Amino acid sequence: MPVTINVGYSEKLGQPDFGSIGASCHIECELDGRLVFESPDAFQEKVRELYAACSNAAKEELGRQRTRSEVSSIPRNGSPKSGGAVPGATGKPSPNGGAASHRASKRQMDFLEQLARQIPQVGIRRLESLAQRVCNKPIAELSSFDASSLIDTLKAIKEGKRDAEAALSGERR
């Protein structure tokens, strides 16, 4: 007997001037119902794969939306609106503590280091290389979105779903 499962992921980011952008993805899938009782681990793995697909799709779309909103905040003449700085252009948080720069938080950075230490093949010494491969930038320049992607990569390595050496060399195994 088939079983229908519905998996979803949604994320929303605050923007300057009380705005926000968001993205979500939901997948409905029919699986063999015997998996639930005869192979619960295989069932959970399928659910995790679907959730990861939703998460990645929503985060990619959120990244595209953020890029579009940052580009649209710069007038065609190249000068920032209102004569001020373009939000996030300096890489520093906005003075009012808003999410304009979307820099990785201290909690994200601490968690990245914690995860890296738990993976012998990566460790703190190779975390910078992994950031370059996954995000194309050094750790110090990671956005919140970049840090989230790097955290997902480290979790996948730790759980054995991704090969550390392949990730460090830039392969998509």
Side-chain angles (χ1 to χ4, degrees):
M1 172 170 97
V3 171
T4 302
I5 62 169
N6 189 327
V7 177
Y9 180 88
S10 181
E11 186 170 342
K12 195 172 190 180
L13 292 175
Q15 295 288 291
D17 300 321
F18 304 104
S20 65
I21 56 175
S24 64
C25 176
H26 297 271
I27 298 174
E28 189 170 291
C29 181
E30 196 170 277
L31 298 174
D32 184 345
R34 292 177 295 181
L35 272 179
V36 175
F37 301 107
E38 294 175 11
S39 185
D41 290 339
F43 173 74
Q44 286 296 324
E45 181 60 28
K46 290 287 184 195
V47 171
R48 276 192 292 275
E49 288 172 4
L50 291 169
Y51 180 81
C54 281
S55 172
N56 290 337
K59 287 178 181 181
E60 276 187 36
E61 180 57 28
L62 202 53
R64 279 192 290 277
Q65 287 182 31
R66 183 172 38 215
T67 300
R68 276 196 304 263
S69 71
E70 288 170 359
V71 169
S72 69
S73 71
I74 302 173
R76 292 185 192 262
N77 68 5
S79 300
K81 287 183 180 177
S82 309
V86 175
T90 64
K92 297 176 185 170
S94 62
N96 63 1
S101 69
H102 301 291
R103 284 285 174 216
S105 70
K106 177 162 176 22
R107 288 184 68 189
Q108 284 178 306
M109 299 303 276
D110 290 345
F111 191 49
L112 281 168
E113 289 183 12
Q114 178 186 346
L115 281 171
R117 281 189 188 98
Q118 294 172 0
I119 305 167
Q121 309 93 310
V122 178
I124 293 298
R125 289 184 16 202
R126 297 180 83 188
L127 182 58
E128 184 72 39
S129 297
L130 188 62
Q132 287 286 355
R133 290 290 184 191
V134 173
C135 305
N136 295 320
K137 58 180 81 164
I139 296 260
E141 295 178 13
L142 293 181
S143 68
S144 179
F145 181 76
D146 295 327
S148 182
S149 295
L150 191 54
I151 287 168
D152 289 344
T153 300
L154 286 167
K155 284 180 175 180
I157 292 169
K158 184 178 175 190
E159 294 169 2
K161 295 178 183 175
R162 182 137 190 230
D163 181 67
E165 293 306 319
L168 285 160
S169 68
E171 295 176 35
R172 298 291 298 166
R173 278 195 251 174

